[in-house]
Amino acid sequence: MADYRLRVYRRFPQKRMVQVVIYLRPTDSPLAYETAFRLENLECRFNVVRIWEVEPEVFLATPGLLPYAVLSRTDAPEGMLRQVVSRLEELPNSASKNDLIAATSILGGLTLEGDTIRRVIRSEMMRESVIYQEIEQQGELKQAQFLILRQLNRRVGNLSLELETQVKALPLVRLDDLGEALLDFERVGDLVLWLDADLS
C-alpha cells in the first residue's frame, strides 16, 4: 500500500487518495486486522474492510455493491444469494446488470457450492455478461490448446517447449485451422512449416 501510494503521488501530487484493503473471505490471519505499514520513520495508513463483518444492508442499498452481499454477515448465504438475484432482476436490462449477475456468481463461489449458484442464477442470465463470455472463451481456448497439443504429440512425436509455446499463442480460430491441417502432418517439420507460414 505504501509503494502504491508513493507511485501515485509521484504522478499526481495534488490528488487526494483513500486507500482501502478489502478482504473477501474470513481469515484468522493477523494481517486482516492491520491498518498501517510502518518502516522506521515511514508510516502508511489504510482502511480495512472485512466483508464477512459488514451487515448485508450496506450492500443491498446500492446496485453496484449487490454482489458483495453474498459474502456479508449472514447465517443464510443461499437466502442472501436469492435476495441479491431478486434485486438484480428488478434492474433495467443493461450490460452492467449482466456483469453484476456474473460478479454475483463469481463472488458467490467463494462461499457457496456451484450447484447452489446454478440453481439460483439462471444460466441464460449469466451468459449475457461480458465477463462470463470472456471466462467461457478462455475455457474454450484452453480446451482447444490441450486437444491440439495432444493430437500433435501423437501425430508427430513430442513437441519442444518452444513449439508448444507457439501453438499455445495461437488464437482459437487458428487452432481450429491447425486441427484440420495436422491431419496431413507426418513429422515435426510439417508443424514448423505451418507455423512459419502462419507468421508470414
Side-chain angles (χ1 to χ4, degrees):
M1 295 301 280
D3 180 55
Y4 184 67
R5 180 67 188 99
L6 288 171
R7 281 188 285 141
V8 172
Y9 177 76
R10 276 189 215 106
R11 289 193 63 199
F12 309 102
Q14 306 306 318
K15 291 275 186 190
R16 181 175 177 271
M17 186 172 175
V18 176
Q19 291 185 280
V20 182
V21 178
I22 300 173
Y23 289 94
L24 300 176
R25 284 201 277 197
T27 177
D28 294 330
S29 171
L31 291 175
Y33 295 87
E34 287 186 14
T35 59
F37 171 76
R38 294 175 188 86
L39 180 64
E40 297 174 6
N41 294 326
L42 174 69
E43 181 173 336
C44 176
R45 298 194 156 279
F46 46 87
N47 298 317
V48 173
V49 176
R50 293 174 292 277
I51 298 274
W52 66 92
E53 294 178 354
V54 179
E55 294 297 330
E57 290 72 28
V58 171
F59 303 115
L60 293 172
T62 307
L65 298 178
L66 282 168
Y68 292 102
V70 180
L71 304 176
S72 65
R73 183 188 300 204
T74 177
D75 294 330
E78 183 177 344
M80 183 55 61
L81 176 64
R82 289 183 187 285
Q83 190 174 346
V84 167
V85 170
S86 174
R87 297 244 179 133
L88 288 170
E89 286 177 334
E90 293 170 5
L91 296 176
N93 280 332
S94 66
S96 60
K97 171 185 174 176
N98 296 330
D99 288 344
L100 287 170
I101 290 168
T104 300
S105 68
I106 292 166
L107 290 174
L110 295 174
T111 56
L112 296 163
E113 295 294 321
D115 289 343
T116 303
I117 294 167
R118 283 188 291 277
R119 196 170 53 245
V120 176
I121 302 177
R122 298 188 323 270
S123 60
E124 61 270 13
M125 288 171 68
M126 286 195 289
R127 283 199 181 93
E128 292 172 13
S129 160
V130 173
I131 296 168
Y132 183 87
Q133 289 166 9
E134 285 177 10
I135 291 169
E136 206 169 52
Q137 285 170 356
Q138 283 294 342
E140 287 175 23
L141 182 62
K142 293 279 184 212
Q143 265 186 326
Q145 289 170 344
F146 174 77
L147 184 61
I148 296 296
L149 287 169
R150 191 169 166 195
Q151 289 173 335
L152 282 167
N153 283 321
R154 191 164 182 176
R155 186 91 182 155
V156 299
N158 289 338
L159 302 182
S160 68
L161 185 59
E162 182 185 342
L163 282 174
E164 195 172 305
T165 302
Q166 281 183 271
V167 169
K168 285 183 175 177
L170 294 170
L172 192 55
V173 174
R174 295 304 290 146
L175 282 171
D176 285 344
D177 294 341
L178 178 55
E180 198 171 314
L182 71 80
L183 297 173
D184 298 323
F185 292 175
E186 293 178 5
R187 56 190 177 280
V188 174
D190 295 328
L191 171 62
V192 172
L193 288 171
W194 189 91
L195 289 169
D196 287 345
D198 191 58
L199 292 173
S200 57

